[in-house]
Amino acid sequence: MNFRKVSDNELRCSVSMDEIRANGLEISDLLKKSDKTYEFFEYLMQEGQEETGFEKTGPMSVEGMFLNGNLELIFRNVEEEELDSWEEAESSEVMAGMSEAQNPIPDENTPLKLVQVTFSTAGRLYQFCQLLQSAEKIPSTLYMYEGKYVLILDLDGCSRSEVGAFCILVNEYGEQSIYGDLQASYIMEHGRFICEDACYRIHMMQEITSQEED
């Protein structure tokens, strides 16, 4: 892992996937609030302070994205007057900017509209839907196109944290994602329709399966 002190208020950190796994974490762990995830960020913060001399002066914010196979994090000191607005946002927004270069997340000024996500196998599609916590609120339609599964999803009703979590899952299980109504309409016209509400249906099917196994 590499650290760089950008200013008195900002520390940057680059962590490889091998280093993330060496700490007992997978990408899916970064989707949810857990003691393990917080401990990992605290560990990185302490390492960065020791290596660069960066000083933590109070509450910290963390933003991150995946770039070229590494997790790039930005730690920032949060002023007291900013704290209320940070508390109103869910902590999972820490990872709201996460995305791979080949699957970019739109910036805050870009309408989300529709996104199509391609999956190479049914297994990867099922894993994606099982882990998608916001599956119930995301309208989605499943198609088959050129031997692959394609989800068309409407992210317009999602928060930034939910979009960030969505992008992390796409990076781990999806083959490709494309934003835009025009691209989605092409799949709707030329793909083979399978079902509506696909994410939620598959998500619930996984839950039922898990309960039966118990």
Side-chain angles (χ1 to χ4, degrees):
M1 56 189 70
N2 296 310
F3 298 94
R4 182 165 62 95
K5 180 181 176 181
V6 178
S7 69
D8 289 341
N9 289 320
E10 184 176 310
L11 173 70
R12 300 205 174 199
C13 172
S14 179
V15 190
S16 70
M17 287 308 305
D18 287 341
E19 289 169 329
I20 292 173
R21 294 190 176 102
N23 282 274
L25 292 162
E26 294 292 338
I27 292 178
S28 56
D29 293 317
L30 302 177
L31 298 176
K32 52 196 176 186
K33 304 176 189 178
S34 70
D35 291 340
K36 185 164 61 172
T37 302
Y38 285 127
E39 288 171 4
F40 178 58
F41 287 139
E42 185 64 27
Y43 162 71
L44 293 177
M45 186 72 249
Q46 292 175 357
E47 289 292 310
Q49 289 181 85
E50 292 178 6
E51 185 171 321
T52 68
F54 180 84
E55 293 186 9
K56 178 181 176 181
T57 60
M60 299 292 297
S61 69
V62 189
E63 297 175 5
M65 70 177 192
F66 283 103
L67 183 63
N68 298 324
N70 291 332
L71 173 58
E72 305 291 338
L73 293 170
I74 302 174
F75 294 90
R76 289 192 181 94
N77 284 311
V78 179
E79 300 295 335
E80 288 297 328
E81 55 267 23
E82 297 179 271
L83 189 57
D84 290 341
S85 61
W86 277 99
E87 289 177 345
E88 288 174 3
E90 294 185 3
S91 297
S92 55
E93 288 190 12
V94 159
M95 312 309 291
M98 283 189 174
S99 60
E100 288 282 3
Q102 66 268 29
N103 292 323
I105 180 174
D107 61 34
E108 295 181 357
N109 298 317
T110 302
L112 293 175
K113 298 186 179 180
L114 298 180
V115 56
Q116 68 179 62
V117 183
T118 302
F119 299 87
S120 57
T121 66
R124 297 185 75 82
L125 169 66
Y126 290 153
Q127 288 175 309
F128 171 87
C129 294
Q130 179 185 12
L131 290 170
L132 187 62
Q133 297 301 311
S134 52
E136 183 176 1
K137 68 181 295 184
I138 300 179
S140 60
T141 309
L142 181 61
Y143 294 84
M144 177 69 76
Y145 180 71
E146 294 186 346
K148 297 180 180 180
Y149 295 93
V150 182
L151 275 175
I152 305 295
L153 308 103
D154 184 352
L155 303 182
D156 189 54
C158 295
S159 67
R160 300 304 297 180
S161 62
E162 289 169 335
V163 174
F166 168 85
C167 288
I168 296 174
L169 286 177
V170 169
N171 292 328
E172 186 167 7
Y173 297 105
E175 181 177 284
Q176 182 187 43
S177 65
I178 301 175
Y179 292 86
D181 293 353
L182 181 61
Q183 293 86 342
S185 65
Y186 182 87
I187 296 297
M188 294 176 183
E189 181 177 354
H190 299 282
R192 179 169 64 84
F193 172 79
I194 297 178
C195 69
E196 296 279 358
D197 298 322
C199 283
Y200 180 62
R201 288 171 183 264
I202 297 173
H203 182 79
M204 293 302 295
M205 180 169 59
Q206 291 292 338
E207 289 186 354
I208 292 172
T209 300
S210 298
Q211 291 173 2
E212 290 176 348
E213 289 175 351
D214 293 340

